[in-house]
């Protein structure tokens, strides 16, 4: 689920808000005031609610966030001014030369890609024709020359493939080092900006996210995390077979006690022994 945009939260700080929210949810069970997590609301429900209430939560740390944005903006403006001055003070870094350097790099890449392909194709053709000529006329000198040229182009293709592989490896290592340097530069912020960012994170967690979780868990309308079918308190649980409940029309008064039926008492006739029977 994407985070709802807030008017006072920049888009570049949205991932940071989600990261702080995720950390708070991962450590929610360690806080006694959030002991209801998993009973009434689970972490996914809390995450969805918090992402939907981004504007409300981030407003609790608006002062610290404004200070952080101001400090970060001043740092970026200073870096932009220094970069512009450095580019203007070095001769030869104008637009046309930069364009020609880029075109040179593009030509080098094209050559690196096409050389193995062209050399391999030439080697295949020369070897095929040379060996066919040698098979037809072994004494023909032109056939041996074609075979020699074919093996030469095969060596060129192999060397070009090796150079291209080395170039790709060097480029990958260079890009990896550049990305690591960029990450380290981003992490190593000036002290003022680092303090402002940490103050915003702390205020966002303590005054925004955690109080929102506590209010959500204390809400009596919040259902349990694992809902069970609702059962009426007057409903008899069905075990085996139970009779249906009948009620009178218009929910009238309950009927009186049902008449009971008592079986009659039957007694057997008095039969005497054989001495009492008539002759």
């Amino acid at each position: 689920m994407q985070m709802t945009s807030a008017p006072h939260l920049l888009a570049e700080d949205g991932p940071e808000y989600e990261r702080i929210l995720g950390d708070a949810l991962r450590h929610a069970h360690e806080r006694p005031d959030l002991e209801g997590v998993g009973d009434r609301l689970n972490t996914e429900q809390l995450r969805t609610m918090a992402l939907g209430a981004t504007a409300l939560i981030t407003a609790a740390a608006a002062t610290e966030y404004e200070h952080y944005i101001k400090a970060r903006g001043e740092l970026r403006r200073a870096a932009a001014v220094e970069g512009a001055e450095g580019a203007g003070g070095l001769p030869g870094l104008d637009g046309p030369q930069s364009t020609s350097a880029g075109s040179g790099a593009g030509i080098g890449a094209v050559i690196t890609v096409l050389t193995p392909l062209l050399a391999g194709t030439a080697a295949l053709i020369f070897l095929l024709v040379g060996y066919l000529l040698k098979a037809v006329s072994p004494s023909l000198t032109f056939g041996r020359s074609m075979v020699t040229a074919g093996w030469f182009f095969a060596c060129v293709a192999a060397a070009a493939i090796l150079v291209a592989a080395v170039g790709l490896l060097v480029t990958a290592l260079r890009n990896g080092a550049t990305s690591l340097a960029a990450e380290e530069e981003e992490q190593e912020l000036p002290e003022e900006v680092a303090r402002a960012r940490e103050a915003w994170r702390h205020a966002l967690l303590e005054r925004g996210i955690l109080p929102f979780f506590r209010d959500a868990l204390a809400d009596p309308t919040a259902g349990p995390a694992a809902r069970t079918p609702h059962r009426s308190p007057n409903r008899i649980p069905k075990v085996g077979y139970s009779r249906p409940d009948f009620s009178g029309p218009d929910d009238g008064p309950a009927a009186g006690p049902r008449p009971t039926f008592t079986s009659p008492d039957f007694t057997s006739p008095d039969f005497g022994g054989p001495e009492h029977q008539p002759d």
Side-chain angles (χ1 to χ4, degrees), residues 14-57:
E16 182 67 16
Y17 170 77
E18 294 183 0
R19 189 187 67 81
I20 299 173
L21 176 62
D23 291 340
L25 289 173
R26 279 191 296 270
H27 300 284
H29 297 284
E30 302 174 3
R31 293 179 171 270
D33 53 343
L34 300 179
E35 59 183 4
V37 176
D39 296 334
R40 308 188 63 177
L41 294 172
N42 55 34
T43 56
E44 289 302 323
Q45 290 172 327
L46 288 175
R47 182 190 300 275
T48 302
M49 295 170 63
L51 291 177
T54 301
L56 177 64
I57 295 175

Side-chain angles (χ1 to χ4, degrees), residues 70-86:
K70 181 179 179 181
R72 186 176 61 185
E74 293 177 355
L75 174 64
R76 291 177 177 176
R77 284 191 294 270
V81 171
E82 291 179 0
E85 292 178 353

Side-chain angles (χ1 to χ4, degrees), residues 100-205:
S100 59
S103 62
I107 293 174
V110 171
I111 293 175
T112 303
V113 172
L114 290 181
T115 300
L117 180 62
L118 296 177
T121 304
L124 181 62
I125 294 174
F126 277 102
L127 289 175
L128 182 61
V129 174
Y131 279 111
L132 286 176
L133 291 176
K134 287 182 66 176
V136 173
S137 178
S139 60
L140 189 62
T141 307
F142 185 69
R144 291 194 297 270
S145 300
M146 294 286 288
V147 171
T148 303
W151 283 113
F152 170 76
F153 280 110
C155 293
V156 172
I161 292 175
L162 180 61
V163 171
V166 172
L168 290 176
L169 180 61
V170 172
T171 303
L173 293 176
R174 184 183 303 160
N175 291 338
T178 303
S179 61
L180 290 176
E183 292 179 0
E184 292 178 357
E185 183 179 358
E186 183 180 356
Q187 293 177 358
E188 295 177 358
L189 295 175
E191 184 178 359
E192 182 180 359
V193 180
R195 285 201 307 264
R197 183 176 64 176
E198 188 61 29
W200 171 61
R201 291 175 176 177
H202 181 76
L204 183 63
L205 177 64

